[in-house]
Amino acid sequence: MSVSSELITQVMSLREQLRYHNHRYYVLDAPEVSDAQYDELFQQLKKIEQNYPELQTLDSPTQRVGGEAISAFQTIVHTVPMLSLGNAFSSDELKDFERKLKDRLETTDISELEYCAELKLDGLAISLIYENGLFKQGATRGDGATGEDISHNLKTIRNLPLQLNTLNPPTLLEVRGEVLMPKAGFDKFNAEAQLKGERLFANPRNAAAGSVRQLDPNIAAKRPLAFYAYSVTQIEGAILPNTQYDVLQWLKSFGFTISDDIKTGKGLAFVEGFYADIQQRRSLLPYDIDGVVIKVNELAKQQALGMVSREPRWAVAYKFPAQVASTVLESVDFQVGRTGALTPVARVKPVFVGGVTISNITLHNMDEIRRLGLHVGDTVEVCRAGDVIPKITQVLARGESSSLIELPACCPVCQSPIVQDEKGVIVRCSGDVYCDAQVQRRLAHFVSRKAMNADGLGERWLEQLLEKGLIKHSADLYYLTAEKILAANIEGMGEKLADNIIAAITKTKHTTLQRFIYALGIRGVGEGTSLALAQYFGTLEAIKSADEETLKQVPDIGEVSAKWIVAYFSQEIHLKQLEQFLAAGITWPIIDIEQAQHQPLVGQSWVLTGTLSSMGRDVAKAKLQQLGAKVSGSVSKKTTIVVAGAEAGSKLADAQKHGVTVWDETQLHDLFAQHNV
Ligand code: I6G
């Protein structure tokens, strides 16, 4: 069939109209046509393209819809690492940022330095690659060095250009920005999901993240996502403008959406003004934000400033304070953990704060309740910042019928007596193996990732196996069979799943002594102590028979932990279970204690903080432990070194307070290279 010029014009017009309506709907949140009218235009275009395949183009709006699902995400190595931004939470921290700029730029009049101020959109950072003007690939940030290829989903985002709007495109262009779900789209999406009885998303950020990490692009295609560009990180075959502001306008001319709130100005007075204005208009913006981003406007100056600890020196995220709300404390329940510790959990009247609805808040221990002076019935202030766990920060008013929060007289699960430490801070259930809550928490700990790592044996199935009486203790896991699981008639359990569970358990039989000791869940024996025990004694037999005095010789083990370890191995029930584990075939490589005790970092305590761009923190921790270091979660004056990645928080400040040496990621890399780990 030959193609008439009228048909070509009609196709171009349909595409133009669809792009226009996409923009109105997804970006401006101001649609001009109904969904049915939009579908009509879309179907017209699709039909013509089906009849005349020669008219199909890669950038046609029809190309955005769905496509085949992928089986797994491919890993993408970022040619230019995806950095993160340093944060400022106060005017003083902002001044600090400026002072460092002044020192580095060696300028006398810092008040003349021009900034570009933008919004800190609360979405998901992604990277897009265009070759000769055509969208080629899109990836998540991942750990900054490698991300996941999510091109199939990104292609469905209506305002993300599939082809750059220029006759002379760069041969290579990498654009970075944020994928988000605008508030209006999120509300509509959740309202529809509720009607259909489907799962709701807690906030637009989770909705965006969940959407782009789907294997099936048909799912992402139905989600109202939008992309906002904020930088160019690679360019070939074209020249970038000289300033951040002009780069953004240049991207806009190519068809990218940029935020409406971008301004330039000089000095911190300009920055504070921008921040205050945006903070005041925050709730009226079409998307969630968690602050503003301030960048040195001139690209040549950015280049000169460079970066430190995977953060650009020329930019900072000036964050809004944590959001607070008030609500009423309705009751306090006590949850039983794996060591029997009772943790008070506040049940509050559901309240929307920091982007999510909160109804449960952990109170940690009785001390926290006393410190806050909490009573049931009180009106309390609840605070939540970003992904941070919500907290009750203060009592705002005592209710008329407020009542004291009392410790339960016995364990709320097994009714065994409770025991308290001297200060009455930690309260425990004495039920031990007779308390279902403790048994379940211990089983969950035993199979967890850092312990035996039984991938695929989630809490849901553990709970069912327990309930059906198939297991009581972790050792019982090794005597399960697929037939026994199937015979128990567990809802949702089929042959394949039962086989998978058995395979997951069998895989854990080859482990390490450190993991096994940690998995036992002995009080006071965390990951670090387990490693220290394994390296000091070399065999389970030696650990089992060590007395308190010997145990105290092990780095990291004090009087209290030594007592707990001895107590654990003196209980008949534990010894019987150890025999069962070994009889089931659990094994680990033999440890050369001579070698283990002469590792270069033996006796040292390290702390990792912030995001490492080239490896996960777990990997860095394992490597440090391999070299003999203890890796701790908090900084004290005993800490040997703190390694600070991007967006390092309070631990970096703690290190400075205690005068502890701080390393960046490069130094850590060099250490690993030097020791070949
Ligand atoms: O995470 C970010 C959010 C917004 C950014 C960013 C941004 O500019 C408006 N810019 C850069 C350079 C980086 N992250 C690394």
Side-chain angles (χ1 to χ4, degrees):
M1 259 187 278
S2 74
V3 180
S4 66
S5 61
E6 284 82 14
L7 196 62
I8 296 177
T9 313
Q10 189 189 355
V11 164
M12 285 169 66
S13 157
L14 282 168
R15 283 184 189 151
E16 212 33 60
Q17 289 179 65
L18 286 166
R19 282 191 191 115
Y20 174 77
H21 292 309
N22 275 335
H23 188 73
R24 301 247 11 138
Y25 187 93
Y26 287 103
V27 181
L28 303 181
D29 184 30
E32 282 177 3
V33 290
S34 67
D35 288 359
Q37 285 168 310
Y38 178 91
D39 277 349
E40 166 90 36
L41 293 172
F42 189 88
Q43 291 308 328
Q44 270 185 45
L45 176 62
K46 197 167 161 197
K47 205 157 169 197
I48 301 175
E49 288 180 351
Q50 270 164 0
N51 290 338
Y52 298 89
E54 63 271 41
L55 287 182
Q56 268 178 17
T57 57
L58 285 173
D59 68 325
S60 171
T62 57
Q63 297 302 298
R64 295 186 187 277
V65 183
E68 291 283 295
I70 59 165
S71 55
F73 294 104
Q74 299 293 319
T75 301
I76 300 287
V77 177
H78 296 300
T79 312
V80 179
M82 285 189 81
L83 308 177
S84 33
L85 293 177
N87 292 319
F89 289 97
S90 63
S91 295
D92 280 349
E93 288 180 15
L94 188 70
K95 282 188 197 134
D96 237 31
F97 166 70
E98 191 194 51
R99 189 183 44 73
K100 288 184 195 144
L101 290 180
K102 183 168 185 264
D103 292 348
R104 289 251 155 201
L105 291 172
E106 289 176 6
T107 139
T108 42
D109 193 0
I110 194 72
S111 63
E112 279 303 300
L113 183 65
E114 188 171 64
Y115 296 110
C116 179
E118 302 169 53
L119 302 183
K120 178 93 174 61
L121 302 173
D122 200 5
L124 208 83
I126 58 158
S127 137
L128 304 174
I129 303 281
Y130 289 82
E131 282 176 11
N132 299 312
L134 284 180
F135 172 70
K136 189 80 190 161
Q137 188 179 70
T140 59
R141 178 182 188 281
D143 63 8
T146 57
E148 283 174 334
D149 185 347
I150 50 164
S151 312
H152 61 299
N153 290 329
L154 295 180
K155 264 179 27 186
T156 69
I157 299 180
R158 313 299 197 288
N159 77 330
L160 183 151
L162 295 176
Q163 183 166 27
L164 301 182
N165 185 16
T166 166
L167 292 174
N168 219 347
T171 45
L172 173 75
L173 180 72
E174 181 177 7
V175 177
R176 295 204 176 148
E178 209 90 359
V179 170
L180 54 84
M181 193 178 279
K183 287 184 207 165
F186 169 77
D187 290 343
K188 192 164 167 232
F189 178 79
N190 257 2
E192 282 168 10
Q194 186 154 33
L195 280 180
K196 288 188 246 164
E198 291 171 359
R199 191 170 74 95
L200 305 188
F201 281 110
N203 55 41
R205 191 182 187 284
N206 287 4
S211 303
V212 296
R213 287 209 72 262
Q214 293 288 335
L215 293 172
D216 182 354
N218 290 294
I219 299 178
K222 292 190 190 113
R223 306 272 169 90
L225 301 172
F227 173 72
Y228 284 77
Y230 60 63
S231 70
V232 169
T233 32
Q234 287 193 81
I235 182 155
E236 283 170 21
I239 294 183
L240 266 186
N242 291 329
T243 63
Q244 167 70 10
Y245 185 85
D246 289 344
V247 167
L248 293 172
Q249 304 309 319
W250 185 74
L251 285 172
K252 189 174 176 183
S253 75
F254 280 179
F256 288 100
T257 305
I258 57 169
S259 142
D260 287 337
D261 290 292
I262 299 171
K263 284 205 165 79
T264 58
K266 290 181 181 170
L268 289 195
F270 155 73
V271 173
E272 293 286 13
F274 182 81
Y275 176 87
D277 170 45
I278 299 295
Q279 193 173 20
Q280 201 224 330
R281 291 193 289 114
R282 181 179 187 181
S283 63
L284 305 173
L285 295 173
Y287 28 58
D288 278 345
I289 60 169
D290 57 357
V292 299
V293 177
I294 308 301
K295 294 179 178 172
V296 171
N297 197 26
E298 209 182 306
L299 298 197
K301 288 205 168 84
Q302 292 186 0
Q303 189 83 27
L305 285 159
M307 57 178 205
V308 61
S309 297
R310 303 274 144 193
E311 289 171 8
R313 283 198 183 93
W314 41 267
V316 70
Y318 191 8
K319 293 276 189 77
F320 294 140
Q323 286 178 282
V324 292
S326 70
T327 185
V328 175
L329 175 63
E330 293 185 324
S331 61
V332 172
D333 288 343
F334 286 82
Q335 279 177 355
V336 187
R338 105 181 125 82
T339 58
L342 263 57
T343 305
V345 179
R347 311 291 180 196
V348 297
K349 192 158 172 251
V351 57
F352 191 72
V353 55
V356 289
T357 303
I358 290 165
S359 42
N360 304 316
I361 305 172
T362 177
L363 291 167
H364 305 291
N365 53 43
M366 289 306 286
D367 229 16
E368 176 89 344
I369 292 175
R370 286 182 212 121
R371 190 182 62 77
L372 290 163
L374 266 188
H375 288 59
V376 169
D378 286 354
T379 300
V380 294
E381 181 184 75
V382 174
C383 149
R384 184 179 181 273
D387 286 337
V388 179
I389 299 168
K391 269 171 76 167
I392 291 185
T393 32
Q394 57 171 320
V395 173
L396 296 173
R398 178 107 325 134
E400 266 176 30
S401 53
S402 284
S403 56
L404 255 180
I405 298 164
E406 309 224 37
L407 271 177
C410 58
C411 169
V413 177
C414 70
Q415 277 73 50
S416 300
I418 59 162
V419 282
Q420 292 185 47
D421 67 356
E422 288 136 38
K423 295 183 202 143
V425 175
I426 313 258
V427 185
R428 279 177 213 281
C429 155
S430 60
D432 200 5
V433 291
Y434 304 101
C435 176
D436 285 349
Q438 287 192 50
V439 170
Q440 191 178 332
R441 301 302 328 138
R442 272 182 217 152
L443 273 163
H445 170 78
F446 183 82
V447 300
S448 66
R449 196 168 55 86
K450 290 176 179 169
M452 299 302 274
N453 192 20
D455 196 11
L457 184 51
E459 291 228 10
R460 175 181 161 203
W461 298 124
L462 272 184
E463 209 177 301
Q464 291 289 322
L465 296 173
L466 260 174
E467 208 170 280
K468 297 281 178 184
L470 290 176
I471 50 173
K472 179 79 185 153
H473 183 271
S474 353
D476 300 336
L477 288 170
Y478 295 95
Y479 295 90
L480 277 175
T481 59
E483 290 72 29
K484 281 190 201 168
I485 297 177
L486 286 173
N489 280 328
I490 297 171
E491 204 188 318
M493 177 66 67
E495 239 170 81
K496 188 149 190 282
L497 226 111
D499 284 343
N500 286 348
I501 289 178
I502 298 298
I505 297 169
T506 310
K507 216 167 130 197
T508 66
K509 288 187 184 175
H510 299 286
T511 186
T512 61
L513 180 56
Q514 183 241 336
R515 274 181 179 274
F516 182 69
I517 296 289
Y518 176 61
L520 293 178
I522 306 168
R523 253 176 92 181
V525 180
E527 276 178 279
T529 312
S530 311
L531 182 71
L533 283 168
Q535 291 184 336
Y536 189 89
F537 292 103
T539 64
L540 178 62
E541 216 31 63
I543 300 173
K544 240 168 66 181
S545 46
D547 58 20
E548 278 180 36
E549 281 319 303
T550 320
L551 284 164
K552 282 196 293 192
Q553 308 299 313
V554 182
D556 194 34
I557 294 185
E559 191 153 351
V560 181
S561 313
K563 271 197 177 32
W564 282 333
I565 296 167
V566 170
Y568 182 91
F569 289 113
S570 61
Q571 275 183 281
E572 199 50 46
I573 184 160
H574 292 149
L575 298 179
K576 201 167 138 229
Q577 282 154 359
L578 286 179
E579 274 171 27
Q580 287 176 326
F581 282 127
L582 300 182
I586 294 186
T587 57
W588 46 80
I590 294 168
I591 298 171
D592 178 345
I593 42 175
E594 261 307 296
Q595 194 202 346
Q597 285 168 15
H598 290 95
Q599 280 164 328
L601 309 187
V602 163
Q604 298 191 9
S605 173
W606 288 54
V607 173
L608 296 165
T609 180
T611 311
L612 302 176
S613 65
S614 58
M615 70 187 97
R617 260 208 265 172
D618 275 1
V619 176
K621 181 175 178 177
K623 288 185 179 197
L624 285 169
Q625 288 176 335
Q626 217 178 313
L627 294 175
K630 177 190 162 210
V631 181
S632 163
S634 57
V635 183
S636 73
K637 55 181 190 305
K638 288 190 191 151
T639 307
T640 319
I641 285 175
V642 170
V643 181
E647 294 191 4
S650 60
K651 287 181 200 161
L652 186 54
D654 289 346
Q656 277 145 5
K657 191 172 86 192
H658 292 295
V660 174
T661 308
V662 178
W663 276 20
D664 66 16
E665 197 176 339
T666 322
Q667 289 168 291
L668 187 68
H669 258 284
D670 292 348
L671 175 82
F672 292 157
Q674 187 192 338
H675 294 287
N676 234 346
V677 290

